[in-house]
Amino acid sequence: MVGKLSLAALLAGLLLLAAGTAVSQPDGKAGGEPFEVVSVRIEGGISPAQDGLLGQAIAAAAEREADMVLVELDTPGGTAKAMRDMVQRILGSPVPVAVWVGPSGSRAASAGVFLVAASSLAAMAPQTTIGAASPVPVGGGEMDETMARKVKNDILSFVRGVAESRGRNVEWYEKAVEEAVSITAEEAAMLKVIDMVADSPRDLLEQAAAKGVPFGGEMLRFDPESVRIIPLEPSFRYKALAWLLDPQIAYFLLLGGMAGLFFELSSPGAIFPGVLGGFCLLLALYALSILPTSAAGLALLVFGLVLFLLEVHVTSYGLLSVAGVAALLVGSIILFPEGSGGTPRLPLSTIAVTVGGLAVLLGLAVFLAAKAHMAAPSGGLEAMVGELGVVRFWREGAGQVSVRGELWSATTDSGQALEPGAVVEVAEASGLKLVVRPATNHKENLT
């Protein structure tokens, strides 16, 4: 009897163990199906381009019924709106989103801190850093005390809520905003800022398979041998937008657009420089509306263009051109304030070459325009002065002369009589009448 009871208890225990194992397996993956992970690389400043790329990755994972999205992150920060949009995408994703800060030497600064906090699984490679999430005003200026407090409190409540929802170290995330602290990957793992330190995305997935991935109130487990990583190919729209939102590209488009408009305004009728310049300028203004840009820097660049335009019409002996070059140089230096939204300053070498080349082109255009204004007219009535003609008819101090194959009414300045066939020289041209005088020392046969 005792033996039968022991056998029944053993069978019941085995059944419970089997049931527990079945429950712990992820839905649809117990039969050896591959665990698909859509991988996407996000680097550089956080902007609408990166937001769109993350949305593309999540949509691709949902479409192919993948099990996870893995974001390889390296960012100095970015705009607050793009960061919030990306956090909302991560929190609302139908599949877990893991964030790995890597490879070694990468960072998750400023806006990147919030992406790590929102992830279902957060990991960092060795020799990487995270932190410095204090809000920086767009344009690099100083906010008044009340506004600064409002912005900081808003960011604090946001990061607190995100970190709490993922069970991470809320106190440290608050310090990252309030005190701009920054720590290494090993320190982040010890402080429970992240879940683990992983050498590579594959290492991250192997550790996640052993520990499980929290998602939807459950613990997702899978076989590391069944993992299949699917790299996401960025769309053309992302590539174009990322190219346009590069600070150097936006800077080149801005100066190129200004140069095109200068050539069109200084020499009306060329059309092509004006059309191309307007197109470049519109693209640049769109990029600058998203990138953290100094209004003073933009105003100085426009002021420099105005000075070059004035040089065409005002005799300043080059002083306006020199002032224009100075305005372009200073405006370029302060156009992108360092540390504002993760956008670095433009390299001085880039500024020097660009401003120098543009100054040479604009200076050459100013020189040619001034030379054209000083040259004798080559068309119109004023160009008739000095031309030779032949008297066709003359009576009582007036008559008609042929100049350039055209018949003109003419008089003489002294009222003298002229014989038909005589060669005359145009002294004045007014209205539709010419004032002529007998030509001397002419060798041309005008008859």
Side-chain angles (χ1 to χ4, degrees):
M1 183 68 178
V2 174
K4 291 181 179 181
L5 289 175
S6 300
L7 181 59
L10 178 60
L11 291 174
L14 291 174
L15 289 173
L16 288 174
L17 179 61
T21 302
V23 170
S24 65
Q25 295 291 336
D27 293 341
K29 301 301 173 184
E33 294 183 14
F35 187 84
E36 293 189 345
V37 178
V38 175
S39 174
V40 61
R41 177 77 181 167
I42 293 180
E43 55 187 348
I46 298 300
S47 69
Q50 282 68 28
D51 176 37
L53 182 59
L54 177 61
Q56 181 188 349
I58 294 175
E63 181 179 356
R64 64 181 301 126
E65 298 183 355
D67 302 281
M68 181 184 292
V69 172
L70 174 60
V71 176
E72 300 178 21
L73 183 65
D74 179 16
T75 178
T79 63
K81 184 181 185 307
M83 175 271 292
R84 286 179 179 269
D85 291 341
M86 294 179 74
V87 168
Q88 290 176 3
R89 288 187 189 276
I90 294 174
L91 297 178
S93 172
V95 296
V97 177
V99 173
W100 176 69
V101 182
S104 295
S106 301
R107 56 177 169 167
S110 190
V113 172
F114 296 83
L115 302 184
V116 173
S119 62
S120 304
L121 183 66
M124 297 173 64
Q127 291 84 51
T128 57
T129 59
I130 183 174
S134 298
V136 178
V138 174
E142 293 292 335
M143 291 184 291
D144 62 79
E145 184 178 352
T146 301
M147 181 58 68
R149 186 168 60 252
K150 286 182 178 180
V151 172
K152 180 171 287 190
N153 289 339
D154 177 60
I155 293 294
L156 276 173
S157 62
F158 183 67
V159 75
R160 186 186 304 116
V162 172
E164 284 179 351
S165 68
R166 298 304 193 189
R168 300 204 167 97
N169 189 335
V170 176
E171 182 179 353
W172 182 87
Y173 278 99
E174 289 179 338
K175 282 185 177 181
V177 174
E178 286 189 304
E179 304 174 17
V181 297
S182 185
I183 56 176
T184 64
E186 292 74 14
E187 293 171 331
M190 291 177 57
L191 295 173
K192 295 184 179 180
V193 173
I194 60 173
D195 301 307
M196 62 188 71
V197 176
D199 296 326
S200 65
R202 178 66 65 175
D203 183 27
L204 163 64
L205 293 172
E206 289 177 357
Q207 294 187 50
K211 297 181 180 180
V213 180
F215 183 72
E218 299 179 356
M219 190 63 69
L220 178 66
R221 299 186 185 278
F222 53 92
D223 181 5
E225 299 298 328
S226 68
V227 172
R228 187 172 72 179
I229 300 178
I230 306 169
L232 178 71
E233 179 64 25
S235 64
F236 173 78
R237 180 181 182 276
Y238 165 76
K239 293 178 180 178
L241 195 57
W243 174 82
L244 180 61
L245 294 180
D246 182 277
Q248 292 196 48
I249 297 298
Y251 174 65
F252 293 149
L253 287 173
L254 176 63
L255 293 190
M258 291 170 58
L261 291 182
F262 170 82
F263 286 119
E264 182 63 33
L265 293 175
S266 59
S267 302
I271 299 178
F272 179 74
V275 172
L276 183 61
F279 180 72
C280 292
L281 192 60
L282 289 175
L283 290 178
L285 291 177
Y286 169 75
L288 295 178
S289 68
I290 296 175
L291 294 170
T293 309
S294 167
L298 184 59
L300 280 171
L301 293 177
V302 175
F303 181 60
L305 175 65
V306 172
L307 291 177
F308 274 104
L309 285 173
L310 289 175
E311 183 69 77
V312 177
H313 304 285
V314 177
T315 303
S316 69
Y317 303 100
L319 293 178
L320 289 176
S321 295
V322 172
V325 172
L328 291 177
L329 184 62
V330 176
S332 299
I333 293 174
I334 67 175
L335 183 61
F336 297 111
E338 187 173 12
S340 179
T343 302
R345 288 183 186 271
L346 291 170
L348 289 178
S349 57
T350 299
I351 293 175
V353 172
T354 306
V355 172
L358 185 63
V360 170
L361 288 176
L362 297 183
L364 180 61
V366 169
F367 171 76
L368 293 177
K371 184 178 179 181
H373 288 167
M374 294 172 62
S378 58
L381 286 175
E382 293 181 358
M384 299 285 289
V385 177
E387 291 287 332
L388 298 179
V390 178
V391 177
R392 298 302 183 191
F393 169 80
W394 200 267
R395 180 181 294 176
E396 297 180 357
Q400 292 181 334
V401 297
S402 175
V403 181
R404 295 180 178 176
E406 299 175 341
L407 203 59
W408 293 82
S409 297
T411 60
T412 59
D413 51 1
S414 60
Q416 67 187 101
L418 298 174
E419 295 293 331
V423 178
V424 294
E425 179 183 1
V426 178
E428 296 180 23
S430 177
L432 297 178
K433 287 188 176 183
L434 304 180
V435 176
V436 298
R437 57 174 173 250
T440 58
N441 299 326
H442 65 85
K443 298 180 181 181
E444 302 174 61
N445 183 12
L446 300 178
T447 59

